[in-house]
Amino acid sequence: MSSTAADVVRLLTVRGETLAVAESLTGGMVAAALTAVPGASQAFRGSVTAYATELKRELLAVDGELLAARGAVDAQVAAQMAAGVRTALGADWGIATTGVAGPDPQDGQPVGTVFVAVDGPAGNGGGCADGGKVEALRLNGDRAEIRMESVRSVLALLLRELASEQTGNERAQDTERNGGF
């Protein structure tokens, strides 16, 4: 069990919020990391492993024209996967992984190209009006190392988003206690 996964589950549980996961290159490893945490059922709704490109469209509502134009390894695809799984599984938060673990390039992208995304409640501090954020990664290593780093990266991204929202809420509460608004 990773400490990042445990921190994610703890924060979500304390907040009474839920999480859904959409995975491609990680093939269920993010869900496995989360469900290894005791008490994960309090926050984890489920996951969709959409390894085949058409499943990203059919199950996660990723735009078919986007997939045709750019392929599955794309920042906007990752964002739509996170939003799509959040909606499909009725969660407060959605996270997603898509990329190329190797051994061969895919969709014109070299091995190690990965996009991780988080989609949360609007105004979560993520800098996007719709509550989403994507990070592009260029990872080194073999297939297993790229997949493990993708898991670590998407959980770290979510943890940062959750922590930044909590910090913002604590600031607002402090301002209210001290007579501000």
Side-chain angles (χ1 to χ4, degrees), residues 21-168:
V21 177
E23 300 186 64
S24 186
L25 84 150
T26 50
M29 293 169 63
V30 176
L34 290 163
T35 58
V37 177
S41 60
Q42 297 296 312
F44 184 66
R45 296 273 304 154
S47 66
V48 174
T49 301
Y51 213 64
T53 298
E54 67 270 12
L55 293 180
K56 291 171 182 66
R57 179 179 47 78
E58 294 169 7
L59 298 177
L60 300 172
V62 175
D63 182 89
E65 290 179 17
L66 173 66
L67 287 166
R70 297 191 198 160
V73 183
D74 178 79
Q76 195 171 349
V77 169
Q80 289 185 15
M81 288 173 65
V85 78
R86 179 179 169 221
T87 299
L89 301 186
D92 297 301
W93 295 86
I95 58 176
T97 62
T98 188
V100 186
D104 300 314
Q106 178 185 338
D107 296 333
Q109 299 286 353
V111 172
T113 302
V114 175
F115 296 95
V116 295
V118 61
D119 188 75
N124 72 353
C128 295
D130 63 354
K133 187 168 188 176
V134 179
E135 285 186 356
L137 309 171
R138 296 285 183 214
L139 304 177
N140 295 313
D142 64 20
R143 181 176 174 80
E145 291 167 325
I146 290 168
R147 294 174 76 215
M148 285 304 300
E149 182 58 24
S150 299
V151 172
R152 190 205 64 75
S153 295
V154 76
L155 291 174
L157 175 61
L158 176 60
L159 187 58
R160 285 192 306 273
E161 292 300 300
L162 290 168
S164 71
E165 183 177 83
Q166 184 175 16
T167 302

